[in-house]
Amino acid sequence: MLVTNLTILVLAGFVGFAVISKVPNTLHTPLMSGTNAIHGIVLLGGLLLIGLSGNGFVNKLLLVIAIAFGTINIVGGFLVTDRMLEMFKRKPEPPPASDGDASAAGQPSETAR
Amino acid sequence: MTLPLASFLQDHDFIQVLYIVSFGLFIYGMSGLTGPRTAVRGNRIAAAGMALAVIATLLDPRMGNWGLIALGLVIGAAVGVPAARNVRMTAMPQMVALFNGVGGGAVALISWVEFRNTQGFAHTPTYVAVFSLFAAIVGSVSFWGSNIAFGKLQELIPGRPITLGRAQQLVNGALAAAAIGLAAAIVAGGHSQALIIGVLLCAAVLGNFVVLPIGGADMPVVISLLNAFTGLSAAATGVALNNPALIVAGMIVGASGTILTNLMAVAMNRSVPAIVAGGFGGGGVTAGAAGPGEHAGTVRSTSASDAAIQMAYARQVVVVPGYGMAVAQAQHAVREMAKVLEDRGVQVKYAIHPVAGRMPGHMNVLLAEADVPYEQLKEMDDVNPEFPRTDVALVIGANDVTNPAANSNPDSPIFGMPILNVNESQSVIVLKRSMNPGFAGIDNELYYDPKTAMLFGDAKASVDDITAELQAL
Protein backbone atom coordinates (compact mmCIF):
# COMPACT_ATOMS: atom_id res chain seq x y z
CA MET A 1 0.00 0.00 0.00
CA LEU A 2 2.78 2.41 0.90
CA VAL A 3 4.40 2.05 -2.50
CA THR A 4 1.10 2.54 -4.33
CA ASN A 5 0.31 5.60 -2.25
CA LEU A 6 3.75 7.09 -2.76
CA THR A 7 3.41 6.52 -6.50
CA ILE A 8 0.12 8.41 -6.49
CA LEU A 9 1.69 11.12 -4.34
CA VAL A 10 4.63 11.73 -6.67
CA LEU A 11 2.58 11.60 -9.86
CA ALA A 12 -0.04 13.92 -8.39
CA GLY A 13 2.71 16.35 -7.47
CA PHE A 14 3.91 16.51 -11.07
CA VAL A 15 0.37 16.82 -12.43
CA GLY A 16 -0.26 19.62 -9.94
CA PHE A 17 2.84 21.50 -11.07
CA ALA A 18 1.98 21.05 -14.74
CA VAL A 19 -1.61 22.26 -14.34
CA ILE A 20 -1.03 25.09 -11.89
CA SER A 21 1.97 26.64 -13.62
CA LYS A 22 -0.31 27.55 -16.56
CA VAL A 23 -2.53 29.76 -14.40
CA PRO A 24 -1.98 33.46 -15.21
CA ASN A 25 -0.96 35.96 -12.50
CA THR A 26 -4.32 37.66 -12.80
CA LEU A 27 -6.12 34.63 -11.44
CA HIS A 28 -3.75 33.88 -8.59
CA THR A 29 -6.12 34.95 -5.82
CA PRO A 30 -8.96 32.72 -7.08
CA LEU A 31 -6.42 29.95 -7.65
CA MET A 32 -5.31 30.21 -4.07
CA SER A 33 -8.79 30.24 -2.62
CA GLY A 34 -9.87 27.43 -4.97
CA THR A 35 -6.99 25.16 -4.03
CA ASN A 36 -7.63 26.20 -0.46
CA ALA A 37 -11.15 24.80 -0.77
CA ILE A 38 -9.76 21.59 -2.23
CA HIS A 39 -7.56 20.84 0.73
CA GLY A 40 -10.70 20.96 2.83
CA ILE A 41 -10.93 17.39 1.56
CA VAL A 42 -9.36 16.42 4.90
CA LEU A 43 -13.03 16.44 5.84
CA LEU A 44 -13.07 12.88 4.46
CA GLY A 45 -10.58 11.84 7.12
CA GLY A 46 -12.88 13.20 9.82
CA LEU A 47 -15.90 11.47 8.30
CA LEU A 48 -14.11 8.12 8.03
CA LEU A 49 -12.84 8.25 11.58
CA ILE A 50 -16.11 9.30 13.21
CA GLY A 51 -18.29 7.12 11.01
CA LEU A 52 -16.31 3.91 11.22
CA SER A 53 -14.66 4.04 14.61
CA GLY A 54 -15.86 7.11 16.48
CA ASN A 55 -15.98 6.20 20.16
CA GLY A 56 -15.50 8.07 23.40
CA PHE A 57 -16.53 11.62 24.13
CA VAL A 58 -13.17 13.25 23.48
CA ASN A 59 -12.72 11.56 20.11
CA LYS A 60 -16.22 12.52 19.06
CA LEU A 61 -15.73 16.11 20.17
CA LEU A 62 -12.42 16.44 18.32
CA LEU A 63 -13.86 14.90 15.19
CA VAL A 64 -16.97 17.07 15.15
CA ILE A 65 -14.69 20.09 15.36
CA ALA A 66 -12.53 18.64 12.58
CA ILE A 67 -15.58 18.05 10.38
CA ALA A 68 -16.85 21.57 11.06
CA PHE A 69 -13.40 22.99 10.20
CA GLY A 70 -13.19 20.95 7.01
CA THR A 71 -16.69 22.03 5.98
CA ILE A 72 -15.93 25.70 6.58
CA ASN A 73 -12.83 25.26 4.45
CA ILE A 74 -14.66 23.55 1.58
CA VAL A 75 -17.94 25.47 1.47
CA GLY A 76 -16.42 28.85 2.21
CA GLY A 77 -13.53 28.32 -0.17
CA PHE A 78 -15.58 27.29 -3.19
CA LEU A 79 -18.24 29.98 -2.62
CA VAL A 80 -15.75 32.79 -2.28
CA THR A 81 -13.84 31.58 -5.34
CA ASP A 82 -17.05 31.47 -7.31
CA ARG A 83 -17.85 35.04 -6.28
CA MET A 84 -14.44 36.24 -7.41
CA LEU A 85 -14.46 34.39 -10.70
CA GLU A 86 -17.93 35.69 -11.56
CA MET A 87 -16.42 39.17 -11.39
CA PHE A 88 -13.69 38.26 -13.82
CA LYS A 89 -16.21 36.79 -16.23
CA ARG A 90 -18.66 39.68 -16.06
CA LYS A 91 -18.80 41.87 -19.15
CA PRO A 92 -17.90 45.49 -18.59
CA GLU A 93 -21.11 47.30 -17.80
CA PRO A 94 -21.94 50.53 -16.02
CA PRO A 95 -20.75 50.05 -12.44
CA PRO A 96 -23.54 50.30 -9.87
CA ALA A 97 -22.39 53.53 -8.28
CA SER A 98 -19.16 55.23 -7.43
CA ASP A 99 -19.81 54.83 -3.74
CA GLY A 100 -16.98 52.29 -3.61
CA ASP A 101 -18.93 49.95 -1.37
CA ALA A 102 -17.42 46.60 -2.20
CA SER A 103 -20.16 44.40 -0.84
CA ALA A 104 -22.88 46.24 -2.74
CA ALA A 105 -21.20 45.43 -6.04
CA GLY A 106 -20.83 41.80 -5.11
CA GLN A 107 -24.50 41.53 -4.30
CA PRO A 108 -26.16 41.40 -7.73
CA SER A 109 -24.22 38.35 -8.86
CA GLU A 110 -25.11 36.69 -5.57
CA THR A 111 -28.82 37.06 -5.98
CA ALA A 112 -28.61 36.18 -9.65
CA ARG A 113 -27.36 32.74 -8.80
CA MET B 1 -4.75 -4.50 3.37
CA THR B 2 -4.71 -4.56 7.13
CA LEU B 3 -4.67 -0.87 7.91
CA PRO B 4 -7.00 -0.35 10.84
CA LEU B 5 -8.49 2.90 9.64
CA ALA B 6 -8.75 2.33 5.97
CA SER B 7 -9.11 -1.38 5.42
CA PHE B 8 -12.90 -1.03 5.71
CA LEU B 9 -13.02 0.83 2.47
CA GLN B 10 -10.63 -1.35 0.60
CA ASP B 11 -13.12 -3.98 -0.49
CA HIS B 12 -15.52 -1.40 -1.87
CA ASP B 13 -14.19 -0.98 -5.36
CA PHE B 14 -17.11 1.21 -6.30
CA ILE B 15 -16.24 3.77 -3.65
CA GLN B 16 -12.65 3.74 -4.84
CA VAL B 17 -13.80 4.42 -8.38
CA LEU B 18 -15.83 7.38 -7.13
CA TYR B 19 -12.69 8.70 -5.46
CA ILE B 20 -10.82 8.41 -8.73
CA VAL B 21 -13.59 10.25 -10.57
CA SER B 22 -13.55 12.96 -7.92
CA PHE B 23 -9.83 13.64 -8.13
CA GLY B 24 -10.15 13.58 -11.90
CA LEU B 25 -12.69 16.36 -11.51
CA PHE B 26 -10.29 18.31 -9.28
CA ILE B 27 -7.56 18.20 -11.90
CA TYR B 28 -9.93 18.99 -14.75
CA GLY B 29 -11.50 21.81 -12.76
CA MET B 30 -8.18 23.37 -11.85
CA SER B 31 -7.01 23.30 -15.46
CA GLY B 32 -10.04 25.52 -16.17
CA LEU B 33 -8.42 28.22 -14.05
CA THR B 34 -5.97 28.97 -16.85
CA GLY B 35 -8.35 31.55 -18.34
CA PRO B 36 -11.04 33.84 -16.96
CA ARG B 37 -13.65 32.42 -19.31
CA THR B 38 -13.38 28.81 -18.22
CA ALA B 39 -12.51 29.57 -14.61
CA VAL B 40 -16.02 29.75 -13.14
CA ARG B 41 -16.91 26.40 -14.66
CA GLY B 42 -13.59 24.94 -13.52
CA ASN B 43 -14.22 25.95 -9.94
CA ARG B 44 -17.70 24.44 -10.02
CA ILE B 45 -16.36 21.21 -11.51
CA ALA B 46 -13.86 20.99 -8.67
CA ALA B 47 -16.68 21.65 -6.18
CA ALA B 48 -18.69 18.84 -7.79
CA GLY B 49 -15.67 16.58 -7.38
CA MET B 50 -15.59 17.50 -3.71
CA ALA B 51 -19.29 16.74 -3.25
CA LEU B 52 -18.75 13.38 -4.95
CA ALA B 53 -15.82 12.57 -2.66
CA VAL B 54 -17.92 13.33 0.42
CA ILE B 55 -20.85 11.25 -0.85
CA ALA B 56 -18.53 8.36 -1.70
CA THR B 57 -17.21 8.41 1.84
CA LEU B 58 -20.68 8.43 3.35
CA LEU B 59 -21.73 5.50 1.13
CA ASP B 60 -19.77 3.06 3.23
CA PRO B 61 -22.30 0.66 4.75
CA ARG B 62 -20.52 0.66 8.08
CA MET B 63 -20.84 4.42 8.52
CA GLY B 64 -22.36 5.44 11.83
CA ASN B 65 -22.63 8.43 14.14
CA TRP B 66 -24.82 10.17 11.57
CA GLY B 67 -26.09 12.72 14.06
CA LEU B 68 -22.58 13.90 14.84
CA ILE B 69 -21.60 13.97 11.18
CA ALA B 70 -24.64 16.12 10.44
CA LEU B 71 -23.82 18.36 13.40
CA GLY B 72 -20.27 18.99 12.13
CA LEU B 73 -21.44 19.63 8.57
CA VAL B 74 -24.19 22.01 9.69
CA ILE B 75 -21.90 24.00 11.99
CA GLY B 76 -19.32 24.24 9.22
CA ALA B 77 -21.85 25.37 6.62
CA ALA B 78 -23.45 27.83 9.04
CA VAL B 79 -20.09 29.51 9.59
CA GLY B 80 -18.61 29.14 6.11
CA VAL B 81 -21.49 30.21 3.88
CA PRO B 82 -22.23 33.64 5.41
CA ALA B 83 -18.52 34.36 5.77
CA ALA B 84 -17.89 33.61 2.10
CA ARG B 85 -20.95 35.55 0.94
CA ASN B 86 -20.40 38.69 2.94
CA VAL B 87 -16.64 39.14 2.91
CA ARG B 88 -15.51 42.25 1.07
CA MET B 89 -13.07 41.76 -1.77
CA THR B 90 -10.54 43.95 0.04
CA ALA B 91 -10.65 41.53 2.96
CA MET B 92 -9.95 38.50 0.77
CA PRO B 93 -6.40 37.84 2.05
CA GLN B 94 -7.52 37.39 5.64
CA MET B 95 -10.49 35.27 4.54
CA VAL B 96 -8.18 32.93 2.64
CA ALA B 97 -5.81 32.82 5.61
CA LEU B 98 -8.69 31.86 7.88
CA PHE B 99 -10.04 29.14 5.57
CA ASN B 100 -6.51 27.84 5.20
CA GLY B 101 -6.08 27.77 8.96
CA VAL B 102 -9.21 25.73 9.68
CA GLY B 103 -8.09 23.20 7.06
CA GLY B 104 -4.78 22.82 8.86
CA GLY B 105 -6.60 22.58 12.18
CA ALA B 106 -8.77 19.74 10.85
CA VAL B 107 -5.64 17.85 9.75
CA ALA B 108 -4.05 18.22 13.19
CA LEU B 109 -7.22 17.09 15.00
CA ILE B 110 -7.61 14.06 12.74
CA SER B 111 -4.03 12.97 13.45
CA TRP B 112 -4.66 13.36 17.14
CA VAL B 113 -7.76 11.14 17.02
CA GLU B 114 -5.87 8.56 14.97
CA PHE B 115 -3.28 8.44 17.71
CA ARG B 116 -6.00 7.93 20.32
CA ASN B 117 -7.83 5.30 18.25
CA THR B 118 -4.74 3.20 17.72
CA GLN B 119 -3.30 3.61 21.23
CA GLY B 120 -0.32 5.52 19.95
CA PHE B 121 -0.05 3.80 16.56
CA ALA B 122 0.45 0.41 18.18
CA HIS B 123 0.06 -2.44 15.68
CA THR B 124 0.03 -0.10 12.71
CA PRO B 125 2.70 0.04 10.03
CA THR B 126 5.45 2.52 10.83
CA TYR B 127 4.72 4.62 7.77
CA VAL B 128 1.18 5.32 8.97
CA ALA B 129 2.60 6.76 12.18
CA VAL B 130 5.23 8.78 10.29
CA PHE B 131 2.78 10.32 7.85
CA SER B 132 0.18 10.98 10.55
CA LEU B 133 2.71 12.75 12.74
CA PHE B 134 4.04 14.77 9.81
CA ALA B 135 0.45 15.84 9.16
CA ALA B 136 -0.02 16.67 12.85
CA ILE B 137 3.06 18.93 12.96
CA VAL B 138 2.48 20.70 9.66
CA GLY B 139 -1.27 20.98 10.24
CA SER B 140 -0.76 22.56 13.64
CA VAL B 141 1.90 25.00 12.37
CA SER B 142 -0.42 25.92 9.52
CA PHE B 143 -3.46 26.42 11.78
CA TRP B 144 -1.71 28.74 14.21
CA GLY B 145 0.37 30.47 11.56
CA SER B 146 -2.72 31.20 9.49
CA ASN B 147 -4.56 32.55 12.51
CA ILE B 148 -1.71 34.96 13.20
CA ALA B 149 -1.67 35.97 9.53
CA PHE B 150 -5.42 36.55 9.78
CA GLY B 151 -4.93 38.64 12.92
CA LYS B 152 -2.28 40.77 11.24
CA LEU B 153 -4.29 41.32 8.07
CA GLN B 154 -7.43 42.09 10.04
CA GLU B 155 -5.30 44.45 12.15
CA LEU B 156 -6.15 42.64 15.38
CA ILE B 157 -2.39 42.25 15.81
CA PRO B 158 0.09 44.97 14.72
CA GLY B 159 1.24 44.37 11.16
CA ARG B 160 4.80 45.29 12.08
CA PRO B 161 7.17 42.42 12.76
CA ILE B 162 7.05 41.16 16.36
CA THR B 163 10.23 39.28 17.13
CA LEU B 164 12.35 37.89 19.90
CA GLY B 165 15.34 39.41 18.16
CA ARG B 166 18.39 37.24 17.62
CA ALA B 167 17.00 34.48 19.83
CA GLN B 168 14.11 33.95 17.41
CA GLN B 169 15.88 31.53 15.09
CA LEU B 170 17.28 29.52 18.00
CA VAL B 171 13.88 29.29 19.67
CA ASN B 172 12.19 28.30 16.42
CA GLY B 173 14.84 25.69 15.76
CA ALA B 174 14.46 24.30 19.27
CA LEU B 175 10.67 24.11 18.90
CA ALA B 176 10.93 22.30 15.57
CA ALA B 177 13.49 19.91 17.04
CA ALA B 178 11.27 19.27 20.06
CA ALA B 179 8.22 18.54 17.89
CA ILE B 180 10.20 16.14 15.71
CA GLY B 181 11.86 14.55 18.73
CA LEU B 182 8.51 13.85 20.43
CA ALA B 183 7.14 12.49 17.16
CA ALA B 184 10.16 10.22 16.87
CA ALA B 185 9.47 8.96 20.39
CA ILE B 186 5.96 8.02 19.29
CA VAL B 187 7.22 6.21 16.21
CA ALA B 188 9.74 4.40 18.41
CA GLY B 189 6.87 3.00 20.46
CA GLY B 190 5.81 5.68 22.94
CA HIS B 191 2.08 5.41 23.66
CA SER B 192 1.62 8.22 26.17
CA GLN B 193 -1.02 10.77 25.29
CA ALA B 194 1.32 13.48 26.54
CA LEU B 195 3.64 12.84 23.59
CA ILE B 196 1.10 13.72 20.90
CA ILE B 197 -0.13 16.72 22.88
CA GLY B 198 3.49 17.82 23.16
CA VAL B 199 3.95 17.47 19.40
CA LEU B 200 0.84 19.55 18.72
CA LEU B 201 1.79 22.20 21.29
CA CYS B 202 5.37 22.63 20.06
CA ALA B 203 4.09 22.93 16.50
CA ALA B 204 1.44 25.43 17.64
CA VAL B 205 3.97 27.72 19.32
CA LEU B 206 6.24 27.33 16.30
CA GLY B 207 3.40 28.40 14.00
CA ASN B 208 2.92 31.55 16.07
CA PHE B 209 6.62 32.33 16.19
CA VAL B 210 7.15 31.82 12.48
CA VAL B 211 4.46 34.27 11.38
CA LEU B 212 4.63 36.93 14.13
CA PRO B 213 8.02 38.33 12.94
CA ILE B 214 6.83 38.70 9.36
CA GLY B 215 5.84 42.18 8.22
CA GLY B 216 2.65 43.03 6.34
CA ALA B 217 4.38 43.47 2.99
CA ASP B 218 5.71 39.91 3.11
CA MET B 219 2.22 38.49 3.64
CA PRO B 220 1.78 37.28 0.04
CA VAL B 221 4.69 34.89 0.55
CA VAL B 222 3.50 33.72 3.95
CA ILE B 223 -0.05 33.02 2.81
CA SER B 224 1.25 31.06 -0.17
CA LEU B 225 3.63 29.11 2.02
CA LEU B 226 0.95 28.22 4.58
CA ASN B 227 -1.28 27.16 1.70
CA ALA B 228 1.43 24.79 0.47
CA PHE B 229 1.91 23.43 4.01
CA THR B 230 -1.76 22.64 4.48
CA GLY B 231 -1.84 20.90 1.12
CA LEU B 232 1.12 18.71 1.97
CA SER B 233 -0.34 17.85 5.36
CA ALA B 234 -3.61 16.80 3.66
CA ALA B 235 -1.62 14.59 1.28
CA ALA B 236 0.19 13.02 4.25
CA THR B 237 -3.14 12.32 5.94
CA GLY B 238 -4.19 10.67 2.68
CA VAL B 239 -1.22 8.31 2.79
CA ALA B 240 -1.91 7.48 6.44
CA LEU B 241 -5.62 6.84 5.80
CA ASN B 242 -4.90 5.18 2.47
CA ASN B 243 -7.23 7.48 0.57
CA PRO B 244 -6.19 8.40 -2.99
CA ALA B 245 -8.56 11.37 -3.28
CA LEU B 246 -6.90 12.98 -0.28
CA ILE B 247 -3.43 12.34 -1.64
CA VAL B 248 -4.11 13.81 -5.07
CA ALA B 249 -6.05 16.82 -3.76
CA GLY B 250 -3.38 17.53 -1.16
CA MET B 251 -0.58 17.37 -3.71
CA ILE B 252 -2.39 19.71 -6.12
CA VAL B 253 -2.69 22.25 -3.33
CA GLY B 254 0.89 21.65 -2.29
CA ALA B 255 2.07 22.24 -5.86
CA SER B 256 -0.02 25.38 -6.23
CA GLY B 257 1.18 26.80 -2.93
CA THR B 258 4.79 26.04 -3.78
CA ILE B 259 4.57 27.66 -7.20
CA LEU B 260 2.97 30.79 -5.76
CA THR B 261 5.47 30.99 -2.89
CA ASN B 262 8.30 30.88 -5.37
CA LEU B 263 6.75 33.47 -7.67
CA MET B 264 6.21 35.85 -4.76
CA ALA B 265 9.74 35.38 -3.43
CA VAL B 266 11.22 35.98 -6.89
CA ALA B 267 9.08 39.10 -7.29
CA MET B 268 10.59 40.44 -4.07
CA ASN B 269 14.11 39.28 -4.92
CA ARG B 270 14.27 37.47 -1.59
CA SER B 271 14.67 33.85 -0.63
CA VAL B 272 11.87 32.06 1.17
CA PRO B 273 14.10 31.16 4.16
CA ALA B 274 15.13 34.81 4.50
CA ILE B 275 11.51 35.91 4.63
CA VAL B 276 10.55 33.23 7.16
CA ALA B 277 13.60 34.14 9.25
CA GLY B 278 12.35 37.66 9.77
CA GLY B 279 10.59 40.56 8.12
CA PHE B 280 11.85 43.54 6.19
CA GLY B 281 11.03 46.09 8.84
CA GLY B 282 12.66 43.84 11.44
CA GLY B 283 16.10 45.32 11.81
CA GLY B 284 15.58 48.33 9.59
CA VAL B 285 18.43 46.58 7.72
CA THR B 286 20.52 49.15 5.90
CA ALA B 287 17.64 51.55 5.47
CA GLY B 288 19.68 54.11 7.34
CA ALA B 289 21.86 54.49 4.25
CA ALA B 290 19.02 56.35 2.58
CA GLY B 291 17.34 57.98 5.54
CA PRO B 292 14.58 60.48 4.92
CA GLY B 293 16.66 63.47 5.90
CA GLU B 294 19.34 62.70 3.36
CA HIS B 295 17.40 63.83 0.34
CA ALA B 296 18.26 67.27 -0.89
CA GLY B 297 15.32 67.13 -3.28
CA THR B 298 11.97 68.53 -2.33
CA VAL B 299 8.58 67.00 -2.72
CA ARG B 300 6.17 68.76 -5.05
CA SER B 301 2.50 68.50 -4.16
CA THR B 302 -0.34 69.04 -6.57
CA SER B 303 -4.10 69.52 -6.53
CA ALA B 304 -6.91 67.40 -7.89
CA SER B 305 -7.67 69.93 -10.61
CA ASP B 306 -4.06 70.04 -11.83
CA ALA B 307 -3.93 66.26 -11.82
CA ALA B 308 -7.19 66.14 -13.78
CA ILE B 309 -5.92 68.54 -16.42
CA GLN B 310 -2.66 66.63 -16.76
CA MET B 311 -4.49 63.35 -17.34
CA ALA B 312 -7.25 64.78 -19.52
CA TYR B 313 -4.72 65.82 -22.15
CA ALA B 314 -2.62 62.65 -21.94
CA ARG B 315 -2.57 59.96 -24.60
CA GLN B 316 -1.88 57.13 -22.20
CA VAL B 317 -2.39 56.89 -18.45
CA VAL B 318 -1.11 53.89 -16.52
CA VAL B 319 -2.67 53.27 -13.13
CA VAL B 320 -0.37 51.58 -10.60
CA PRO B 321 -2.49 50.24 -7.73
CA GLY B 322 -1.14 49.03 -4.39
CA TYR B 323 -2.35 48.03 -0.97
CA GLY B 324 -3.36 51.65 -0.30
CA MET B 325 -6.08 51.33 -2.96
CA ALA B 326 -7.46 48.30 -1.15
CA VAL B 327 -7.38 50.03 2.23
CA ALA B 328 -9.20 53.07 0.85
CA GLN B 329 -11.68 50.85 -1.07
CA ALA B 330 -10.92 53.06 -4.04
CA GLN B 331 -11.29 50.48 -6.83
CA HIS B 332 -14.77 51.60 -7.96
CA ALA B 333 -13.76 55.25 -7.87
CA VAL B 334 -10.70 54.41 -10.00
CA ARG B 335 -12.83 52.61 -12.57
CA GLU B 336 -15.20 55.56 -12.67
CA MET B 337 -12.31 57.94 -13.30
CA ALA B 338 -10.89 55.65 -15.99
CA LYS B 339 -14.23 55.68 -17.80
CA VAL B 340 -14.29 59.46 -17.89
CA LEU B 341 -10.73 59.45 -19.23
CA GLU B 342 -11.57 56.83 -21.87
CA ASP B 343 -14.54 58.89 -22.99
CA ARG B 344 -12.08 61.67 -23.65
CA GLY B 345 -9.96 59.32 -25.77
CA VAL B 346 -7.25 58.65 -23.22
CA GLN B 347 -5.91 55.13 -23.19
CA VAL B 348 -5.96 53.67 -19.66
CA LYS B 349 -4.01 50.63 -18.51
CA TYR B 350 -3.34 49.09 -15.13
CA ALA B 351 0.13 47.93 -14.11
CA ILE B 352 0.01 45.11 -11.58
CA HIS B 353 3.12 44.13 -9.64
CA PRO B 354 3.04 40.46 -8.55
CA VAL B 355 3.33 41.37 -4.87
CA ALA B 356 1.07 44.43 -4.88
CA GLY B 357 -1.43 43.98 -2.05
CA ARG B 358 -1.44 41.28 0.55
CA MET B 359 -1.82 38.10 -1.48
CA PRO B 360 -0.99 36.92 -5.00
CA GLY B 361 -3.37 38.52 -7.49
CA HIS B 362 -5.03 40.73 -4.85
CA MET B 363 -5.17 43.84 -7.10
CA ASN B 364 -6.62 41.89 -10.01
CA VAL B 365 -9.53 40.75 -7.91
CA LEU B 366 -10.30 44.26 -6.70
CA LEU B 367 -10.17 45.73 -10.19
CA ALA B 368 -12.24 42.89 -11.59
CA GLU B 369 -14.79 43.66 -8.89
CA ALA B 370 -14.94 47.21 -10.20
CA ASP B 371 -15.54 45.84 -13.73
CA VAL B 372 -12.18 46.82 -15.15
CA PRO B 373 -11.83 44.86 -18.42
CA TYR B 374 -9.46 41.90 -18.07
CA GLU B 375 -7.42 43.06 -21.08
CA GLN B 376 -6.46 46.34 -19.40
CA LEU B 377 -4.74 44.56 -16.51
CA LYS B 378 -1.07 44.33 -17.43
CA GLU B 379 1.56 42.22 -15.74
CA MET B 380 4.90 43.74 -14.82
CA ASP B 381 6.93 42.41 -17.76
CA ASP B 382 4.31 43.48 -20.29
CA VAL B 383 3.84 46.97 -18.97
CA ASN B 384 7.40 48.01 -18.17
CA PRO B 385 8.30 48.73 -21.84
CA GLU B 386 5.18 50.93 -21.98
CA PHE B 387 6.24 53.45 -19.36
CA PRO B 388 8.46 55.59 -21.66
CA ARG B 389 5.39 55.97 -23.90
CA THR B 390 3.16 56.85 -20.96
CA ASP B 391 2.23 60.47 -20.31
CA VAL B 392 0.98 60.05 -16.77
CA ALA B 393 1.61 57.21 -14.35
CA LEU B 394 -0.94 57.39 -11.54
CA VAL B 395 0.37 55.59 -8.47
CA ILE B 396 -2.44 54.78 -6.03
CA GLY B 397 -1.24 53.55 -2.66
CA ALA B 398 1.72 51.60 -4.04
CA ASN B 399 5.17 52.32 -2.68
CA ASP B 400 8.04 49.84 -2.61
CA VAL B 401 7.10 48.26 -5.94
CA THR B 402 7.72 51.63 -7.64
CA ASN B 403 10.94 52.58 -5.84
CA PRO B 404 13.68 53.22 -8.44
CA ALA B 405 16.30 52.53 -5.77
CA ALA B 406 15.65 48.85 -6.48
CA ASN B 407 17.29 49.41 -9.87
CA SER B 408 19.88 52.04 -9.09
CA ASN B 409 20.99 51.99 -5.45
CA PRO B 410 23.05 48.92 -4.46
CA ASP B 411 22.85 50.02 -0.81
CA SER B 412 19.08 49.85 -0.74
CA PRO B 413 17.59 46.85 1.05
CA ILE B 414 15.29 46.29 -1.91
CA PHE B 415 18.09 46.54 -4.51
CA GLY B 416 17.54 43.92 -7.20
CA MET B 417 13.81 43.55 -6.61
CA PRO B 418 11.97 43.78 -9.92
CA ILE B 419 9.85 46.95 -9.91
CA LEU B 420 7.42 48.80 -12.13
CA ASN B 421 9.58 51.41 -13.88
CA VAL B 422 7.15 54.20 -13.16
CA ASN B 423 9.93 56.80 -13.17
CA GLU B 424 10.44 56.25 -16.92
CA SER B 425 7.07 57.75 -17.76
CA GLN B 426 6.70 61.42 -18.75
CA SER B 427 5.18 62.41 -15.45
CA VAL B 428 4.08 60.72 -12.27
CA ILE B 429 1.21 61.50 -9.91
CA VAL B 430 1.34 59.74 -6.55
CA LEU B 431 -1.77 59.47 -4.39
CA LYS B 432 -0.65 58.98 -0.83
CA ARG B 433 -1.98 59.61 2.62
CA SER B 434 1.24 61.14 3.96
CA MET B 435 4.99 60.99 3.51
CA ASN B 436 5.27 57.94 5.79
CA PRO B 437 7.49 55.30 4.21
CA GLY B 438 5.97 51.97 3.15
CA PHE B 439 6.06 48.69 5.01
CA ALA B 440 9.69 48.14 4.17
CA GLY B 441 10.44 51.39 5.99
CA ILE B 442 12.47 52.63 3.01
CA ASP B 443 12.26 56.10 1.59
CA ASN B 444 11.02 56.16 -2.00
CA GLU B 445 13.27 58.19 -4.33
CA LEU B 446 10.41 58.43 -6.77
CA TYR B 447 8.75 61.07 -4.61
CA TYR B 448 11.75 63.41 -4.94
CA ASP B 449 11.91 63.06 -8.71
CA PRO B 450 11.23 66.48 -10.34
CA LYS B 451 8.59 64.98 -12.63
CA THR B 452 6.66 63.50 -9.70
CA ALA B 453 3.77 65.35 -8.10
CA MET B 454 2.17 64.17 -4.86
CA LEU B 455 -1.55 64.38 -4.17
CA PHE B 456 -1.97 63.88 -0.45
CA GLY B 457 -5.14 62.52 1.12
CA ASP B 458 -7.34 59.44 1.20
CA ALA B 459 -6.99 57.62 -2.12
CA LYS B 460 -10.71 57.27 -2.73
CA ALA B 461 -11.45 60.90 -1.91
CA SER B 462 -8.60 62.04 -4.16
CA VAL B 463 -9.76 59.91 -7.08
CA ASP B 464 -13.33 61.14 -6.63
CA ASP B 465 -12.07 64.73 -6.68
CA ILE B 466 -10.09 64.10 -9.86
CA THR B 467 -13.16 62.55 -11.51
CA ALA B 468 -15.28 65.54 -10.56
CA GLU B 469 -12.66 67.91 -11.99
CA LEU B 470 -12.44 65.83 -15.18
CA GLN B 471 -16.18 66.02 -15.66
CA ALA B 472 -16.10 69.75 -15.14
CA LEU B 473 -13.44 70.27 -17.83
Side-chain angles (χ1 to χ4, degrees), chain A residues 89, chain B residues 29 31-43:
Chain A
K89 199 177 74 172
Chain B
S31 44
L33 276 184
T34 43
R37 241 167 240 127
T38 50
V40 175
R41 201 178 47 132
N43 183 53

Side-chain angles (χ1 to χ4, degrees), chain B residues 303-473:
Chain B
S303 67
S305 60
D306 286 347
I309 291 169
Q310 221 177 327
M311 285 193 278
Y313 297 103
R315 258 168 307 158
Q316 173 160 290
V317 171
V318 174
V319 177
V320 182
Y323 186 55
M325 184 186 81
V327 172
Q329 302 259 356
Q331 65 272 29
H332 295 280
V334 170
R335 170 67 179 138
E336 200 59 7
M337 181 196 72
K339 286 181 76 141
V340 177
L341 285 171
E342 280 165 355
D343 289 345
R344 298 185 63 98
V346 181
Q347 191 160 27
V348 180
K349 289 174 181 163
Y350 299 81
I352 318 274
H353 192 279
V355 296
R358 287 294 177 267
M359 71 182 296
H362 192 189
M363 292 299 119
N364 303 84
V365 169
L366 294 182
L367 292 170
E369 185 200 14
D371 279 326
V372 170
Y374 186 79
E375 303 75 45
Q376 291 183 2
L377 306 175
K378 300 289 179 200
E379 291 177 17
M380 180 165 62
D381 293 337
D382 297 331
V383 82
N384 265 341
E386 297 252 351
F387 279 115
R389 278 180 276 139
T390 300
D391 300 293
V392 181
L394 182 66
V395 180
I396 306 177
N399 188 351
D400 298 328
V401 298
T402 63
N403 192 342
N407 286 338
S408 58
N409 181 359
D411 293 332
S412 171
I414 59 167
F415 181 70
M417 169 173 155
I419 58 158
L420 294 164
N421 298 326
V422 172
N423 60 327
E424 288 177 5
S425 48
Q426 305 305 313
S427 66
V428 182
I429 299 173
V430 179
L431 303 191
K432 206 170 175 334
R433 228 184 293 219
S434 68
M435 277 306 285
N436 286 339
F439 265 95
I442 307 158
D443 216 21
N444 193 340
E445 290 174 10
L446 180 70
Y447 305 153
Y448 303 95
D449 193 309
K451 63 187 172 194
T452 302
M454 310 289 291
L455 182 52
F456 292 108
D458 174 70
K460 183 176 176 301
S462 298
V463 174
D464 281 339
D465 289 346
I466 294 175
T467 311
E469 295 287 349
L470 280 171
Q471 278 161 340
L473 277 177

